Amino acid sequence: MAKALERSIRERVPTLLTDLYQFTMAYAYWRSGRHNEPAVFELFFRDNPFGGGFSLFSGMHDCLLFLQSFRFTDEDVEYLRSVLPPATDPAFFLFLRELDCSGVTLHSVPEGTVVFARVPLMEVSGPLAVVQLLETSLLCLVNYASLVCSNAARFRLAAGSRRKLLEMGLRRAQGPDGGLTASRYTYVGGFDMTSNVQAGFLFGIPVAGTMAHSYVTSFSSLEEVWPQTLVAANGDHDNIDLISLTKGWLGRVCELLGAESGKIHEGELAAFLSYAIAYPHNFLPVIDSYSVTCSGLLNFCAVALSLFELEYSPLGVRLDSGDLCRQSVEVRHVFRLCSEQFSIPAFQSLLIVGTNNISEYSMAELNKKENEIDVVGVGTHLVTCTRQPSLGCVYKLVEVRGSPRMKFSEDPEKSTVPGRKAVYRMLDTEGHPFLDLLCLCEEPAPKACVAVRCHPVVGNKTCQSITPSQVSCLRLEVYTKGQITQPLCSTAETREKVQSSIQTLHPRHKRLQEPDSYIVAVSEKLHNLIAEIRKGSSNNSNFLLAN
Amino acid sequence: MAKALERSIRERVPTLLTDLYQFTMAYAYWRSGRHNEPAVFELFFRDNPFGGGFSLFSGMHDCLLFLQSFRFTDEDVEYLRSVLPPATDPAFFLFLRELDCSGVTLHSVPEGTVVFARVPLMEVSGPLAVVQLLETSLLCLVNYASLVCSNAARFRLAAGSRRKLLEMGLRRAQGPDGGLTASRYTYVGGFDMTSNVQAGFLFGIPVAGTMAHSYVTSFSSLEEVWPQTLVAANGDHDNIDLISLTKGWLGRVCELLGAESGKIHEGELAAFLSYAIAYPHNFLPVIDSYSVTCSGLLNFCAVALSLFELEYSPLGVRLDSGDLCRQSVEVRHVFRLCSEQFSIPAFQSLLIVGTNNISEYSMAELNKKENEIDVVGVGTHLVTCTRQPSLGCVYKLVEVRGSPRMKFSEDPEKSTVPGRKAVYRMLDTEGHPFLDLLCLCEEPAPKACVAVRCHPVVGNKTCQSITPSQVSCLRLEVYTKGQITQPLCSTAETREKVQSSIQTLHPRHKRLQEPDSYIVAVSEKLHNLIAEIRKGSSNNSNFLLAN
């Protein structure tokens, strides 16, 4: 599978899938002989998404595969020759043709870690021209993966741990690869299953699904049911006529519920019977193609009772329109009545699946309103991240040739934090992280139970002193000298890591609405460096006097 | 290129990239011998996006390539065997292995046409199991392509036709393919260029870009500029020392503008000089890395004046933060002063490029506020479609074995319009479309200048009579018997078609805010069919009496 993923990254992220200015800059560096100067870039985002208190870092594994496969083909180089200005020195294209990431080192937060705004998640160091060329691809791989994983984690928190969550957004995603990325990272973020078969194939995610409305509406009469018989699960009987059996049960169900048989849809019953005969162990129809209470639920109960009689275990029903909570309560009530009346204990606990434009808000409502929904399917709002469709990760230069770099910008919040850094996560006595500290690389690591002075990076807060109970180093070296240096986790392992990383978070940071903000701070030394650079910058034009 | 696109569709849209329930349904059809029954599905969306009055239909060409390449490999089938219930008959997998789209016919609105909510854009007919299997992939290919193309068209309308528009959203898109799809269809929707090199390579879209802030901040002193010399464009001179020349100009610029030289950033000047030496014909730096008025603009003018002196034509500047309108006016003012003072007419009309989180709203503001921006770069809001990140296309069964099908649903607006249809667009005396009419296939086509009775599909509006000046048939047969039957347009040709299609639209429908709603109606005959089916559905359970 690792090989397949590597092949797939080359197809999905061709080396030309980047912004043109990466090449014009690379040329200008090369032209001035600066292309091999050691440089350091950092990747981070400026605000936690969805008005939340945290985010989840994802997409790093794809970045590693991308670094490993990074090369320009002859065809790539020919195309670049046609779009770069004619003045470009032909030797530059030979240089591109030879390029790879053997000189690049990547330090990164592990895939699936809880992270916060303004913490540099990745540090990419290596030859200036190469690490510049990587910008767009790395951003593209991290931005959406982290966003949709964070979105899924919020849906999971809103749903509680009991309910099963099914991702079904492929048709509404940003094209085919958008859909694949969505299925993968929503599973990592805490979903249980996907409808996307290719995602199951590539990433081993459990896949689920039974039928659409079109299946139901494609039937119009019982004459379309074929074969009409089923052998009991225990093998005792000969072929049983399932239509007759079910008609009998339908009469009893109508009687039990005092339902009019006049509104029951024959085509719907035919569809349910056909499906049950094809998949007697996996019977879970969608019951709202016509009317849940007047037709779908009655037809379901009749077919399910026949299946129980033949010693199969039907699975349940899906509701796809209307007020899901109210309907689920009604459906459960009918399940209980059938269970009691016909002495089938399992009938009362059949699954109720709800799918109808579920948002984070409506997911949270499920915990407030009475309902009996066991499995929730989510599509559009999950994969498109309606509430905030972009994480806004950026990639900023912080050091060249050992010297720190900083961008000031006309917008103060777009200024960057200069210098090569180490990032530490401070934990309190209960093991909850409470502050991420950015230090200069050369500073000694902060120690557990020793006070450290720091300056929050956001707001005008003054210096504070904090004493962590534990300190952990947030980033690892994951790629160097052309090699991936940490084992890649499977999708399922990363999913586990996500859940345990979220578990460490204090409830006040995990809250979906108006969480307390988590503090990200710089060390005293880094704070002083920023002040120094700001001062230096406003007084550096002696060069005009020299010649 | 066509071959490359076909190859790329197989990589991007593998046949397993679909929902699992397509396979469970296909099996149930196959099991009951219904898989080859002729069936008809329609693809449509329910509301025009972004609160607008229209949408643009895109993605159809990819659908055609997908149909042509639709096949299951042995590996696909093995995976399906592992996820479908164990009860699945092994012969079904042999059936899948042989499947292709040779029995499918696609009628479609042409790529790049203005379309409206509730009009069936595609009609997919063929063997029931096959046309059902196509659902998710076709939706995935049309949904986002049409949405982002429509979004781009709105940005284009908001920007007016004079300004050039650059798409630069790759890093914020839904993963790599999301970015590629975005670049392609925003160009189709009216953008002029993309930053995405791979999109240029695959689709022939003009690519653009010069430098990021990191390029500027990577320089700290003039010592890093190498080579320091440039030969004049006319070839008259020997190597000219560009640093000395520019220092001279910088002094004059400061004097002209009364600027303090103390705040000018040496590293920024070094970056501009290096870039100008690498690309003297393509000089367009980003000028807000430190301060536009105190440093970036002064450095730009000095380097540009040197280039003009050496008979090159610099291109202009990019602004990437702060109040773009205000800054562009200040920049243009300085350009005019330089032009006049140094007698360089071309200086006043240098390009000003603006890029800073541009939304449709801020684009529209550009037409209201004084500004001097010639080119606008748009990323996040364009590619993620922040205002509405999903179009919500659906795919509904309308006919099986020649008999119309309809879904009722618990939500009335989720009901479908049954039957196989022809779709006509009615034009008024000025050539503006004013109504799309859905008729049953067997009805005679409406005629120009002959009154026709129809019923709007939305709202409780009563029957009305309309008389079109012209009538056009909206859909064409584009695929049948395994062959694409219409020539595929290039990306640039489709872009032309989009612009001329939008041109036909009446301004009241084209308005970005609160447009008049365009009427979509059904013929008298179709209206009656719906009523008949509704009536039939509420009284169809005689089957319970028969045995």
Side-chain angles (χ1 to χ4, degrees):
Chain A
M1 196 49 63
K3 273 276 162 235
L5 285 181
E6 200 180 318
R7 193 183 58 219
S8 119
I9 203 92
R10 256 181 243 158
E11 289 162 2
R12 287 171 47 219
V13 198
T15 321
L16 289 189
L17 192 70
T18 186
D19 295 311
L20 184 69
Y21 74 6
Q22 310 296 359
F23 293 104
T24 53
M25 288 190 275
Y27 176 67
Y29 287 136
W30 178 88
R31 181 76 170 76
S32 62
R34 297 190 63 211
H35 53 289
N36 280 328
E37 283 184 6
V40 183
F41 280 84
E42 284 178 351
L43 185 151
F44 61 95
F45 58 91
R46 295 191 179 107
D47 295 295
N48 293 312
F50 315 116
F54 69 97
S55 183
L56 286 159
F57 176 60
S58 291
M60 189 267 279
H61 286 180
D62 270 358
C63 293
L64 292 177
L65 296 173
F66 175 72
L67 294 184
Q68 221 169 23
S69 72
F70 181 89
R71 271 191 205 287
F72 295 97
T73 64
D74 285 332
E75 205 184 5
D76 293 340
V77 168
E78 278 320 297
Y79 177 71
L80 287 171
R81 198 191 293 275
S82 75
V83 292
L84 287 174
T88 312
D89 185 335
F92 175 65
F93 298 105
L94 300 176
F95 161 76
L96 283 184
R97 191 67 187 83
E98 297 300 314
L99 225 55
D100 62 27
C101 285
S102 56
V104 173
T105 297
L106 179 62
H107 286 82
S108 177
V109 170
E111 181 97 4
T113 307
V114 163
V115 292
F116 305 98
R118 303 208 164 251
V119 172
L121 309 172
M122 282 183 169
E123 179 200 273
V124 189
S125 55
L128 179 55
V130 181
V131 289
Q132 178 68 66
L133 276 172
L134 299 174
E135 174 179 25
T136 311
S137 316
L138 298 184
L139 286 173
C140 183
L141 289 171
V142 169
N143 252 323
Y144 176 64
S146 297
L147 182 73
V148 80
C149 184
S150 307
N151 200 24
R154 292 177 63 90
F155 273 90
R156 169 47 75 203
L157 287 171
S161 54
R162 190 185 65 85
R163 250 184 276 272
K164 293 276 178 198
L165 298 181
L166 164 68
E167 177 272 320
M168 37 178 263
L170 175 57
R171 63 189 65 191
R172 304 288 165 82
Q174 270 189 11
D177 179 71
L180 203 55
T181 311
S183 300
R184 179 177 178 184
Y185 292 105
T186 51
Y187 179 68
V188 167
F191 272 57
D192 300 287
M193 303 161 275
T194 179
S195 70
N196 182 339
V197 182
Q198 181 73 4
F201 175 64
L202 284 179
F203 309 115
I205 303 171
V207 289
T210 59
M211 71 173 72
H213 292 287
S214 56
Y215 181 80
V216 178
T217 58
S218 83
F219 286 82
S220 57
S221 97
L222 289 173
E223 286 163 26
E224 290 159 327
V225 179
W226 188 92
Q228 306 188 339
T229 59
L230 190 62
V231 174
N234 60 15
D236 271 359
H237 309 282
D238 289 331
N239 282 329
I240 305 292
D241 178 345
L242 199 67
I243 297 186
S244 301
L245 186 64
T246 301
K247 278 187 182 175
W249 278 115
L250 190 53
R252 272 169 277 172
V253 167
C254 287
E255 200 180 322
L256 170 68
L257 303 176
E260 283 179 62
S261 67
K263 285 183 176 168
I264 294 171
H265 207 283
E266 177 178 351
E268 187 181 54
L269 181 60
F272 290 4
L273 283 165
S274 257
Y275 197 90
I277 289 165
Y279 283 136
H281 293 284
N282 300 79
F283 184 57
L284 194 156
V286 60
I287 61 170
D288 64 331
S289 299
Y290 302 102
S291 161
V292 171
T293 47
C294 300
S295 181
L297 182 55
L298 307 172
N299 281 329
F300 170 77
C301 288
V303 177
L305 287 161
S306 297
L307 288 173
F308 273 122
E309 184 175 336
L310 299 180
E311 301 191 22
Y312 291 99
S313 304
L315 297 180
V317 298
R318 177 161 77 100
L319 298 166
D320 186 44
S321 56
D323 179 342
L324 298 182
C325 288
R326 182 185 52 71
Q327 290 181 87
S328 71
V329 170
E330 287 168 16
V331 168
R332 182 70 69 206
H333 174 66
V334 169
F335 285 179
R336 290 203 181 104
L337 286 177
C338 288
S339 174
E340 222 164 279
Q341 174 76 15
F342 306 117
S343 304
I344 306 173
F347 211 110
Q348 63 182 317
S349 49
L350 289 172
L351 289 181
I352 300 176
V353 181
T355 58
N356 183 20
N357 203 25
I358 303 283
S359 63
E360 183 191 308
Y361 176 79
S362 54
M363 184 75 90
E365 283 291 292
L366 288 187
N367 285 335
K368 292 180 201 151
K369 281 167 77 173
E370 189 194 359
N371 76 85
E372 291 284 345
I373 300 170
D374 304 293
V375 181
V376 188
V378 194
T380 311
H381 291 293
L382 178 65
V383 305
T384 64
C385 303
T386 332
R387 252 185 97 173
Q388 182 187 324
S390 170
L391 181 56
C393 276
V394 293
Y395 185 84
K396 297 294 173 192
L397 181 69
V398 295
E399 188 183 288
V400 182
R401 270 187 294 127
S403 143
R405 293 309 152 92
M406 182 171 171
K407 182 191 132 192
F408 294 85
S409 169
E410 297 282 323
D411 303 331
E413 74 275 19
K414 277 191 167 186
S415 294
T416 59
V417 179
R420 187 165 203 163
K421 304 172 194 77
V423 183
Y424 300 98
R425 180 155 290 178
M426 310 300 196
L427 308 185
D428 64 18
T429 48
E430 287 165 331
H432 297 304
F434 70 95
L435 184 146
D436 282 4
L437 182 67
L438 320 185
C439 300
L440 286 167
C441 251
E442 60 267 26
E443 291 184 69
K447 289 200 184 77
C449 309
V450 176
V452 56
R453 289 167 58 83
C454 60
H455 298 255
V457 289
V458 174
N460 283 324
K461 290 177 192 161
T462 47
C463 178
Q464 52 179 255
S465 174
I466 53 134
T467 307
S469 289
Q470 295 171 59
V471 177
S472 69
C473 183
L474 202 56
R475 295 189 310 208
L476 295 171
E477 183 192 274
V478 291
Y479 184 92
T480 193
K481 300 193 179 82
Q483 299 299 321
I484 297 173
T485 55
Q486 293 286 328
L488 296 186
C489 296
S490 72
T491 308
E493 287 163 344
T494 310
R495 183 171 184 271
E496 291 292 310
K497 288 176 70 175
V498 162
Q499 292 311 313
S500 56
S501 189
I502 292 178
Q503 209 105 67
T504 65
L505 218 51
H506 193 283
R508 68 198 173 92
H509 295 129
K510 214 160 27 183
R511 207 160 50 217
L512 297 182
Q513 310 305 330
E514 298 178 14
D516 286 1
S517 38
Y518 185 90
I519 300 173
V520 175
V522 296
S523 68
E524 191 90 65
K525 261 211 157 122
L526 185 46
H527 182 75
N528 293 340
L529 175 70
I530 296 168
E532 210 175 286
I533 293 181
R534 280 199 183 280
K535 201 173 150 207
S537 156
S538 62
N539 185 20
N540 67 354
S541 60
N542 292 335
F543 70 91
L544 271 182
L545 308 172
N547 211 342
Chain B
M1 197 49 64
K3 273 275 163 236
L5 284 182
E6 199 181 318
R7 193 182 59 220
S8 118
I9 202 93
R10 255 182 243 156
E11 289 163 2
R12 287 170 47 218
V13 197
T15 321
L16 289 189
L17 192 70
T18 186
D19 295 311
L20 184 69
Y21 74 4
Q22 311 296 0
F23 294 104
T24 53
M25 288 190 276
Y27 176 67
Y29 287 137
W30 178 87
R31 181 76 168 78
S32 62
R34 299 189 62 213
H35 52 287
N36 280 327
E37 284 184 6
V40 182
F41 280 84
E42 284 178 351
L43 185 151
F44 61 95
F45 58 91
R46 295 192 180 106
D47 295 295
N48 293 312
F50 315 116
F54 69 98
S55 181
L56 286 160
F57 175 60
S58 291
M60 189 268 279
H61 285 181
D62 270 358
C63 292
L64 292 177
L65 296 172
F66 175 72
L67 293 183
Q68 222 169 23
S69 72
F70 181 89
R71 272 193 204 284
F72 295 95
T73 65
D74 285 331
E75 205 183 7
D76 293 340
V77 168
E78 279 319 298
Y79 177 70
L80 287 171
R81 200 190 292 274
S82 75
V83 290
L84 286 176
T88 311
D89 184 334
F92 175 64
F93 299 106
L94 300 177
F95 161 75
L96 282 183
R97 189 67 187 83
E98 296 301 314
L99 225 55
D100 62 27
C101 285
S102 56
V104 173
T105 296
L106 179 62
H107 286 82
S108 176
V109 170
E111 181 97 4
T113 307
V114 163
V115 292
F116 305 98
R118 302 208 163 249
V119 172
L121 308 172
M122 281 183 170
E123 179 200 274
V124 189
S125 55
L128 179 54
V130 181
V131 290
Q132 177 69 66
L133 277 172
L134 299 173
E135 174 180 25
T136 311
S137 316
L138 297 184
L139 285 173
C140 182
L141 288 171
V142 169
N143 251 324
Y144 177 64
S146 296
L147 181 74
V148 80
C149 184
S150 306
N151 200 24
R154 291 177 63 89
F155 273 90
R156 168 48 75 204
L157 288 171
S161 54
R162 191 186 64 85
R163 249 185 277 272
K164 293 274 179 201
L165 298 181
L166 165 68
E167 177 272 321
M168 37 178 263
L170 176 55
R171 63 188 65 191
R172 305 288 165 83
Q174 268 189 12
D177 179 72
L180 202 54
T181 310
S183 299
R184 178 177 177 184
Y185 292 106
T186 52
Y187 179 67
V188 167
F191 271 58
D192 300 287
M193 302 161 276
T194 179
S195 69
N196 181 341
V197 182
Q198 181 74 4
F201 175 64
L202 284 179
F203 309 114
I205 304 172
V207 289
T210 58
M211 71 173 72
H213 293 289
S214 56
Y215 181 81
V216 178
T217 57
S218 83
F219 286 82
S220 58
S221 97
L222 288 173
E223 285 163 26
E224 289 158 326
V225 179
W226 186 91
Q228 306 188 338
T229 59
L230 192 61
V231 176
N234 61 14
D236 271 0
H237 308 282
D238 289 333
N239 283 328
I240 305 293
D241 178 345
L242 199 66
I243 297 186
S244 302
L245 186 63
T246 301
K247 278 186 182 176
W249 279 115
L250 190 52
R252 273 170 277 171
V253 168
C254 287
E255 200 180 320
L256 171 67
L257 304 176
E260 282 180 62
S261 67
K263 288 184 175 167
I264 295 171
H265 207 284
E266 177 178 350
E268 186 182 54
L269 181 59
F272 291 4
L273 282 165
S274 255
Y275 197 92
I277 289 165
Y279 283 136
H281 294 284
N282 300 79
F283 184 58
L284 194 156
V286 60
I287 62 170
D288 64 330
S289 299
Y290 302 102
S291 160
V292 172
T293 47
C294 300
S295 181
L297 182 56
L298 308 173
N299 281 329
F300 169 78
C301 288
V303 177
L305 287 162
S306 297
L307 287 173
F308 274 121
E309 184 175 334
L310 300 179
E311 301 191 24
Y312 291 99
S313 303
L315 298 180
V317 298
R318 177 160 78 99
L319 298 166
D320 186 43
S321 55
D323 179 342
L324 297 181
C325 288
R326 183 186 51 72
Q327 289 180 88
S328 72
V329 170
E330 288 168 17
V331 168
R332 182 70 68 206
H333 174 67
V334 168
F335 284 179
R336 291 205 180 101
L337 286 177
C338 288
S339 174
E340 221 165 279
Q341 174 76 16
F342 306 118
S343 305
I344 306 175
F347 211 110
Q348 62 181 318
S349 49
L350 290 172
L351 290 180
I352 301 176
V353 181
T355 58
N356 184 20
N357 202 25
I358 302 283
S359 63
E360 183 191 306
Y361 176 79
S362 54
M363 184 75 89
E365 283 292 291
L366 288 186
N367 285 335
K368 295 179 197 149
K369 280 168 76 173
E370 189 194 359
N371 75 85
E372 292 285 343
I373 300 170
D374 303 294
V375 180
V376 187
V378 193
T380 311
H381 292 291
L382 178 64
V383 305
T384 64
C385 303
T386 332
R387 253 186 94 172
Q388 181 186 325
S390 171
L391 181 56
C393 276
V394 293
Y395 185 83
K396 297 295 173 191
L397 182 69
V398 295
E399 188 183 288
V400 182
R401 270 187 295 130
S403 143
R405 294 307 153 94
M406 181 171 172
K407 182 189 131 193
F408 294 87
S409 169
E410 298 281 323
D411 303 331
E413 74 275 19
K414 277 190 166 186
S415 294
T416 59
V417 179
R420 186 165 205 164
K421 306 172 192 76
V423 183
Y424 300 99
R425 180 156 289 179
M426 309 301 194
L427 308 186
D428 64 18
T429 48
E430 287 165 331
H432 297 305
F434 70 95
L435 184 144
D436 282 5
L437 182 68
L438 320 185
C439 300
L440 285 168
C441 250
E442 59 267 26
E443 292 185 69
K447 290 199 183 79
C449 309
V450 176
V452 57
R453 288 165 60 82
C454 60
H455 298 255
V457 290
V458 175
N460 283 325
K461 289 176 192 161
T462 48
C463 178
Q464 53 179 254
S465 174
I466 54 135
T467 307
S469 288
Q470 294 170 61
V471 177
S472 69
C473 182
L474 203 56
R475 296 189 310 208
L476 295 171
E477 183 193 274
V478 292
Y479 184 91
T480 194
K481 300 192 178 81
Q483 298 300 321
I484 297 172
T485 55
Q486 292 286 328
L488 296 185
C489 296
S490 72
T491 308
E493 287 163 343
T494 310
R495 182 172 185 271
E496 292 291 311
K497 288 175 70 174
V498 163
Q499 291 312 313
S500 55
S501 189
I502 293 177
Q503 209 106 66
T504 65
L505 218 50
H506 193 282
R508 68 198 172 91
H509 296 128
K510 212 158 31 181
R511 207 159 53 218
L512 297 182
Q513 310 304 330
E514 300 179 12
D516 286 1
S517 38
Y518 186 89
I519 301 172
V520 175
V522 297
S523 68
E524 192 90 66
K525 261 211 157 117
L526 186 46
H527 182 75
N528 293 341
L529 175 69
I530 297 168
E532 208 175 289
I533 294 181
R534 278 199 185 280
K535 200 172 150 209
S537 158
S538 61
N539 185 21
N540 67 354
S541 61
N542 292 334
F543 71 92
L544 271 181
L545 307 174
N547 210 342

